[in-house]
Amino acid sequence: MTYSKSIKLLVLIVIFFGGKMVAQESLYQEKKYIKAQDTLLYRIMYPKHFDETKQYPLVLFLHGAGERGNNNKRQLVHGSSIFASEKNRDSFPAIVIFPQCSKKSFWANATVDKSSKPIKLEFPLDIGPTKPLELTMQLMDDMALKTFINKNQIYVGGLSMGGMGTFEILFRKPEFFAAAFAICGAGNPEATEKYAKTTPLWVFHGANDDVVNPLYSVNMVDAILKNGGKPNFTLYAKDNHNSWDSAFAESELLPWLFSNIKH
């Protein structure tokens, strides 16, 4: 292939995927949640032919550390396409929310030591939530009051920092969610006692993860089992930190998620 043809092909690829991203972004409306002096930026996607007289599941997705910021856009990089695909919108009509964590904050209240790889993490249970997570919980409480939300089908999931936020929000709201999934995350195993029996979980990790040690997920699953839970656990033998690519490719992820209904 000549140099000029290679450039043309690259341009076409950029245009194609750039166009897909713009189209995808347009499905997620830009919103701001304001509480007192604090603001949470978020995106929300409504089902096709949204009808306020009907009820829909609600999905909260928490992004990773690399997607933090204040542009209310970057949080859609990973995970938004799985919910926005035509097939999944037809099969699983739902309201999906992607909040954005501010650059210097974190979803979970964690002590992070980056002096070595994988990073070292601790999750104290005796302090309140971070401001972004607190605002997200308040947003979810407000959304749950809407007549078009099915309160028995509220779900949460996240990756990396968002996986940690998933474990933490379950600890802080153990009766709220019908099911959850955490990808390459971490948490405090002691906290699982609060939600092990109340919230079905699917935990994913890559065995080669050199950012967040897979043993964090192993320890969380072990604690959930000890506390009476029955989690799904998938460890990808060849994956590094980006195990979300494999998790989002799981054909059973969304069918499993939406099959869980609180009674």
Side-chain angles (χ1 to χ4, degrees):
M1 183 181 293
T2 65
Y3 177 76
S4 61
K5 286 183 178 179
S6 297
I7 292 297
K8 287 179 181 177
L9 179 60
L10 179 60
V11 170
L12 287 172
I13 291 172
V14 170
I15 291 173
F16 175 75
F17 285 104
K20 282 188 71 175
M21 190 63 189
V22 170
Q24 181 178 295
E25 285 175 11
S26 68
L27 293 175
Y28 289 89
Q29 300 175 22
E30 290 189 63
K31 299 285 186 178
K32 291 181 180 180
Y33 181 72
I34 300 172
K35 202 79 169 179
Q37 304 300 314
D38 300 308
T39 299
L40 176 73
L41 302 177
Y42 71 98
R43 292 276 189 141
I44 184 168
M45 182 180 72
Y46 291 94
K48 291 180 178 179
H49 316 300
F50 173 66
D51 183 347
E52 287 196 12
T53 66
K54 297 180 179 180
Q55 287 198 325
Y56 302 92
L58 174 62
V59 181
L60 169 67
F61 188 87
L62 302 177
H63 63 77
E67 292 75 64
R68 290 177 295 182
N70 60 2
N71 65 356
N72 205 2
K73 178 178 177 180
R74 191 166 177 79
Q75 73 266 37
L76 296 176
V77 170
H78 302 299
S80 61
S81 61
I82 188 174
F83 298 104
S85 76
E86 286 292 310
K87 178 183 177 182
N88 287 334
R89 292 191 79 200
D90 288 336
S91 300
F92 310 106
I95 295 169
V96 184
I97 291 179
F98 274 69
Q100 186 174 36
C101 183
S102 51
K103 190 68 176 176
K104 294 183 179 180
S105 194
F106 213 71
W107 290 126
N109 236 323
T111 301
V112 185
D113 180 359
K114 296 182 179 179
S115 62
S116 61
K117 289 185 70 176
I119 60 177
K120 295 178 182 178
L121 297 152
E122 292 184 0
F123 300 88
L125 302 180
D126 57 350
I127 51 180
T130 64
K131 183 58 67 175
L133 190 70
E134 180 182 22
L135 288 169
T136 297
M137 291 192 295
Q138 291 171 343
L139 170 62
M140 295 301 286
D141 286 339
D142 286 356
M143 288 297 297
L145 296 175
K146 306 290 186 184
T147 57
F148 51 80
I149 296 296
N150 185 335
K151 298 171 183 60
N152 294 319
Q153 284 190 281
I154 300 178
Y155 309 103
V156 62
L159 61 87
S160 194
M161 180 187 80
M164 301 172 200
T166 297
F167 286 128
E168 177 140 344
I169 201 171
L170 292 179
F171 165 67
R172 299 189 184 279
K173 298 178 75 64
E175 305 288 340
F176 191 79
F177 297 98
F181 62 93
I183 306 169
C184 58
N188 188 324
E190 293 180 11
T192 63
E193 183 180 2
K194 290 270 190 176
Y195 57 84
K197 293 181 180 179
T198 60
T199 311
L201 260 160
W202 194 342
V203 179
F204 302 88
H205 220 117
N208 295 314
D209 197 328
D210 61 1
V211 178
V212 179
N213 195 317
L215 286 175
Y216 283 115
S217 283
V218 171
N219 291 338
M220 293 300 285
V221 169
D222 179 62
I224 292 168
L225 287 167
K226 287 177 179 176
N227 285 308
K230 309 278 189 204
N232 293 318
F233 181 39
T234 302
L235 184 67
Y236 298 108
K238 297 181 179 180
D239 282 11
N240 200 305
H241 190 52
N242 65 328
S243 54
W244 54 81
D245 290 332
S246 296
F248 293 143
E250 290 281 354
S251 62
E252 290 303 309
L253 176 56
L254 293 192
W256 168 83
L257 186 70
F258 289 104
S259 70
N260 290 284
I261 302 172
K262 289 200 301 182
H263 298 288

